[in-house]
């Protein structure tokens, strides 16, 4: 019995409570980094998402060797994978900076050092991306923005850009009506943060909450999808339920599909209790029809 309970817990926690990828401020690089004839200046910020959770973000500004910002003011926002962090996107930094393009990386909720306990594989994380896009367009005055998402980050991107998904999200998570003023006023730049102060703060109360918040901030509004000029969806999970079935069958073809579906239903009940999200909700393919932003879909194939 204990073995079954342990297996059951391992199954659902692997989806919504994976091990966090902790890192130090040194992993973000120095405040100024040089790449041949270009350099990058880094600033760290803390935003609030739709559920009043912390989003820790780093912006790498493209500059020349004299430290003057690139006048084109173009940015790529990188969205990391499941159980990863903003460190994942730093591999793009040399390539982008040398082309005069800035890079924005951030930790999704419940990943890295972000607030929140339960991961929703792109569903709620799409509202994190919305706040980052708002900051880049409104505060950094970006002329063009590209969003590059990988795996869970790609699903978040597809959700964010879909108008039909936004409608479903707003119905599932209505706005708080108690008038809490938790968001910075329009036009007010969020405070810069010293990331090192948060390195030892890995046990914030939100890490141990039993379930997510049911309502969003009263003043939460989605960033316009047309603020994103293009996107790259790299290996997005298109439909989680079918992905689970295909993955299990690929590991052991002897397991009947009805048994896999029954097990998934049990796991789904646990996930829904903690996040208010069903496994069947995590399906970007169902809402992708309402995306109007041009983009590239990247998939892998095993031969």
């Amino acid at each position: 019995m204990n073995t079954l309970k342990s297996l059951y817990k391992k199954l659902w926690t692997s989806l919504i409570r994976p091990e966090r990828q902790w890192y130090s401020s040194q992993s973000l690089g120095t405040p100024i980094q040089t790449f041949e004839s270009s350099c990058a200046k880094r600033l760290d910020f803390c935003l609030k998402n739709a559920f009043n959770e912390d989003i820790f973000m780093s912006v790498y500004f493209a500059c020349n060797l004299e430290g003057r910002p690139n006048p084109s003011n173009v940015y790529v926002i990188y969205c990391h994978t499941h159980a990863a962090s903003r460190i994942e996107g730093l591999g793009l930094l040399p390539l982008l900076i040398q082309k005069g393009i800035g890079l924005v990386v951030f930790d999704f909720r419940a990943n890295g050092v972000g607030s929140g306990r339960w991961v929703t594989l792109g569903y709620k994380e799409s509202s994190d991306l919305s706040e980052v896009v708002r900051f880049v367009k409104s505060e950094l005055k970006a002329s063009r923005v590209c969003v590059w998402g990988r795996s869970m980050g790609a699903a978040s991107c597809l959700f964010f850009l879909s108008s039909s998904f936004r409608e479903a999200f707003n119905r599932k998570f209505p706005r708080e009506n108690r008038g809490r003023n938790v968001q910075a006023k329009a036009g007010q730049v969020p405070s810069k943060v010293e990331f090192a102060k948060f390195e030892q703060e890995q046990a914030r109360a939100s890490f141990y909450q039993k379930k997510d918040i049911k309502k969003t901030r009263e003043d939460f509004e989605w960033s316009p999808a047309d603020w994103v000029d293009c996107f790259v969806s790299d290996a997005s999970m298109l439909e989680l339920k079918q992905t689970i079935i295909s993955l299990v069958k690929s590991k052991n073809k002897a397991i009947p599909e009805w048994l896999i579906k029954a097990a998934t239903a049990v796991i789904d009940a646990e996930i829904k209790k903690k996040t208010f999200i069903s496994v069947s909700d995590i399906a970007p393919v169902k809402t992708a029809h309402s995306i109007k932003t041009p983009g590239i879909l990247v998939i892998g194939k095993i031969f």
Side-chain angles (χ1 to χ4, degrees), residues 172-192:
K172 187 178 289 289
F173 297 105
R175 286 165 178 71
E176 178 65 70
N177 57 12
R178 290 184 293 181
R180 291 186 303 169
N181 185 20
V182 297
Q183 174 74 342
K185 295 179 181 179
Q188 180 179 342
V189 179
S191 300
K192 287 182 287 187

Side-chain angles (χ1 to χ4, degrees), residues 43-46 56-57 191-198:
L43 287 178
D44 303 324
F45 298 88
C46 181
F56 292 100
M57 173 182 68
S191 300
K192 287 182 287 187
V193 298
E194 295 293 335
F195 178 68
K197 293 180 180 179
F198 297 95

Side-chain angles (χ1 to χ4, degrees), residues 136-258:
V136 173
K137 286 294 288 187
S138 299
E139 309 303 344
L140 301 186
K141 309 299 181 184
S143 61
R144 305 197 74 179
V145 174
C146 172
V147 175
W148 185 327
R150 185 162 178 257
S151 185
M152 182 185 78
S156 303
C157 174
L158 296 176
F159 279 143
F160 165 70
L161 294 172
S162 168
S163 58
S164 59
F165 169 79
R166 294 179 180 210
E167 293 171 0
F169 181 99
N170 292 339
R171 289 193 298 270
K172 187 178 289 289
F173 297 105
R175 286 165 178 71
E176 178 65 70
N177 57 12
R178 290 184 293 181
R180 291 186 303 169
N181 185 20
V182 297
Q183 174 74 342
K185 295 179 181 179
Q188 180 179 342
V189 179
S191 300
K192 287 182 287 187
V193 298
E194 295 293 335
F195 178 68
K197 293 180 180 179
F198 297 95
E199 289 181 341
Q200 301 302 319
E201 201 179 334
Q202 296 178 357
R204 293 194 289 275
S206 64
F207 290 4
Y208 299 97
Q209 64 194 40
K210 293 183 178 180
K211 62 182 180 180
D212 281 348
I213 300 169
K214 179 68 174 176
K215 293 187 177 183
T216 59
R217 293 190 334 257
E218 183 181 29
D219 57 347
F220 170 70
E221 294 292 342
W222 290 96
S223 298
D226 59 9
W227 279 359
V228 174
D229 295 280
C230 61
F231 72 92
V232 177
S233 172
D234 183 357
S236 174
M237 182 191 329
L238 297 180
E239 192 170 4
L240 178 58
K241 190 172 183 178
Q242 189 57 47
T243 299
I244 293 173
I245 294 172
S246 299
L247 181 62
V248 174
K249 291 181 72 173
S250 69
K251 299 294 183 181
N252 192 333
K253 295 182 180 180
I255 301 177
E257 188 168 320
W258 66 265

